[in-house]
Amino acid sequence: MGRSRSRSGSRNRRPGLAAAGAALSLAVTLTGCGSVTGNNEVTLRVVAADYGDNPANSSQAYWKKLAAEYTKDHPGIKIEVSVYSWSEVDNKVAALVKAGKAPDIAQIGAYADYAAAGKLYTTDELLAVQTEADFLAPLADAGKVKRVQYGMPFVASTRLLFYNEKLFADAGITAGGRPWAPKTWADLEAAAKKLKGAGVPTPFALPLGREEAQAETMMWLLSGGGGYTDGEEGYAIDSPENVKTFEFLRDRLVGAGLTGPVEPGKLDRQAAFDGFARGEVGMLNGHPTLLKQAAAKGVRFGMVPLPTVDGSEKPTMGVADWMMAFKNGHRKETGQFLDFVYAAKNQTAFTSTYDLLPVTTSGYRATAASTGGNSAQLRTFLQALPGSRLYPAGKKSWPGVSEDIKQGIGKAVAPGGSPERVLSEIATAARANDSR
């Protein structure tokens, strides 16, 4: 969920909502280039991202099985799938488009630039009514450019506060004999102080390093009652609420020495996750892929909604990676295959493999009812998904804004840093780019 991060600015520790493994490529059926053969057989070319972190769990196995099942029941269609690591898949698609060889379907990190260039089908040109209506509302909305949906969410992720139960217990952060989880920023600050007093190296990990600064920033902005955009979807990065949020981070957490030995602007998400798995981090904001990493190291942890400025309920951050269909003349065939991709059993087969969240109501219900694997823990993330807020991915300007955040937001919490100035600089550039 995260884990994307390229054009969309939504990539996490490994590019994409999941891991970016070594460059992997698979041609499921090598029978053409999005072409129609002499016997009217259509070949659809699909480019997809790899969510595995090693060859053994590469996404190519999923796509190979899916393509074989589909072509068995659709003898006139061939599916050719190429799977690449997140570090290269966006560039692969961009190169194909530039060369006039766009795939029929691409599953990558961003869609808005291709939609703005008029290269994509809209979802209502492709999907059956029941498929289009099945997308969870906030995810469907995030796939729109000027209220028209071009981007189809593929997988999603939300964020929760992870806390180390043993470190909490050792520091006396308990209620009724159990570790006590913070609900407000004041609670979080008090817990972090106790953890520091107990000798925990990093009471709260605040990764504002380049890897995923745009995500950590958005989580805090939302929990403070702000966000990247206003009610009219204009950039509001320098709003008073956002400035106050970063003043709290600078003064009450970073300035008080509660965020560990690495300054937040140089701390990446994966380094924070690794510290949590080693038992050196008391709290951090995390996504579902931390479940296995922490459990594999024997860490006992709890998960709760992100603390907010006053304890009131506020939207959490959601992240989606995107599917899109290029105008290659195979609208009908592409749409029918996408209907198959988004069937509940195929959605959950993929998300359960990588501890990610489904993007459809049918997939949501199937996951909520599941009892296998990490289902119980995933349901905690799942509950936050319908009301989540996503990056403004429908804006062509968002990739550049995300990059500015990655490069500069750490300065806002550095000693002597000015949140108002840093946020104003980012906001001014964002508005200028958005008006072009």
Side-chain angles (χ1 to χ4, degrees), residues 264-346:
K266 295 181 179 179
L267 180 64
D268 282 339
R269 169 70 59 196
Q270 187 53 48
F273 279 14
D274 291 345
F276 189 81
R278 291 193 301 268
E280 299 170 358
V281 172
M283 298 175 281
L284 82 172
N285 298 330
H287 49 65
T289 56
L290 183 55
L291 294 173
K292 286 183 178 178
Q293 184 178 357
K297 297 294 185 179
V299 176
R300 291 189 294 107
F301 58 88
M303 301 179 300
V304 293
L306 304 185
T308 63
V309 60
D310 56 7
S312 64
E313 185 175 339
K314 303 197 183 296
T316 188
M317 188 189 79
V319 176
D321 289 334
W322 299 99
M323 188 88 80
M324 63 214 69
F326 287 87
K327 293 180 177 179
N328 285 353
H330 302 139
R331 181 180 64 82
K332 178 181 177 182
E333 295 84 359
T334 297
Q336 290 174 342
F337 179 61
L338 287 170
D339 286 337
F340 181 73
V341 169
Y342 284 106
K345 69 181 182 69
N346 295 327

Side-chain angles (χ1 to χ4, degrees), residues 53-104:
D53 57 5
N54 62 73
N57 69 355
S58 169
S59 302
Q60 57 185 321
Y62 167 83
W63 286 106
K64 183 176 182 178
K65 182 175 184 292
L66 192 74
E69 289 178 357
Y70 187 78
T71 54
K72 179 181 178 181
D73 294 330
H74 299 80
I77 307 292
K78 296 294 182 182
I79 310 295
E80 177 188 297
V81 185
S82 298
V83 178
Y84 298 99
S85 71
W86 269 108
S87 63
E88 62 176 347
V89 66
D90 283 353
N91 289 335
K92 287 284 186 181
V93 172
L96 288 169
V97 172
K98 185 176 181 180
K101 299 179 180 179
D104 294 282

Side-chain angles (χ1 to χ4, degrees), residues 34 97 101 103 114 170 186 193 212 232 237 307 344 421-422 425:
V97 172
K101 299 179 180 179
Y114 296 126
D170 291 347
K193 287 180 176 178
E212 207 194 20
E232 301 300 321
I237 298 169
R421 177 179 54 79
V422 172
E425 289 174 353

Side-chain angles (χ1 to χ4, degrees), residues 1-6 8-18 51 86 108-109 136 138-139 142 153-159 212 214-216 218-219 222 228 269 286-288 316-322 356-359 381 384-385 388-393 398:
M1 273 292 339
R3 320 185 112 299
S4 44
R5 314 335 93 198
S6 70
S8 68
S10 60
R11 255 198 263 312
N12 299 350
R13 72 175 164 101
R14 298 166 283 191
L17 276 174
Y51 288 75
W86 269 108
I108 52 178
L136 292 168
L139 304 181
F154 179 63
V155 289
S157 173
T158 55
R159 301 295 191 268
E212 207 194 20
Q214 81 290 345
E216 187 72 19
M218 184 172 175
M219 290 179 243
L222 291 174
Y228 284 134
R269 169 70 59 196
H287 49 65
T316 188
M317 188 189 79
V319 176
D321 289 334
W322 299 99
L356 295 168
L357 305 180
V359 298
F381 289 94
L385 187 58
S388 64
R389 192 170 299 173
L390 282 74
Y391 298 119
W398 169 243

Side-chain angles (χ1 to χ4, degrees), residues 179-237:
W180 168 82
K183 294 182 179 180
T184 68
W185 289 358
D187 293 342
L188 188 148
E189 179 186 2
K193 287 180 176 178
K194 287 191 173 184
L195 290 166
K196 182 180 180 180
V200 175
T202 302
F204 184 88
L206 183 65
L208 294 176
R210 176 176 173 76
E211 184 180 8
E212 207 194 20
Q214 81 290 345
E216 187 72 19
T217 296
M218 184 172 175
M219 290 179 243
W220 280 98
L221 298 186
L222 291 174
S223 69
Y228 284 134
T229 58
D230 57 24
E232 301 300 321
E233 294 307 306
Y235 283 115
I237 298 169

Side-chain angles (χ1 to χ4, degrees), residues 12 34 106 114 132 135 144 177 265 278 296 302 321 374 386 408 417 426 434:
N12 299 350
Y114 296 126
E132 187 177 13
F135 289 125
K144 295 177 180 179
R278 291 193 301 268
D321 289 334
N374 289 328
I426 295 172
D434 201 38

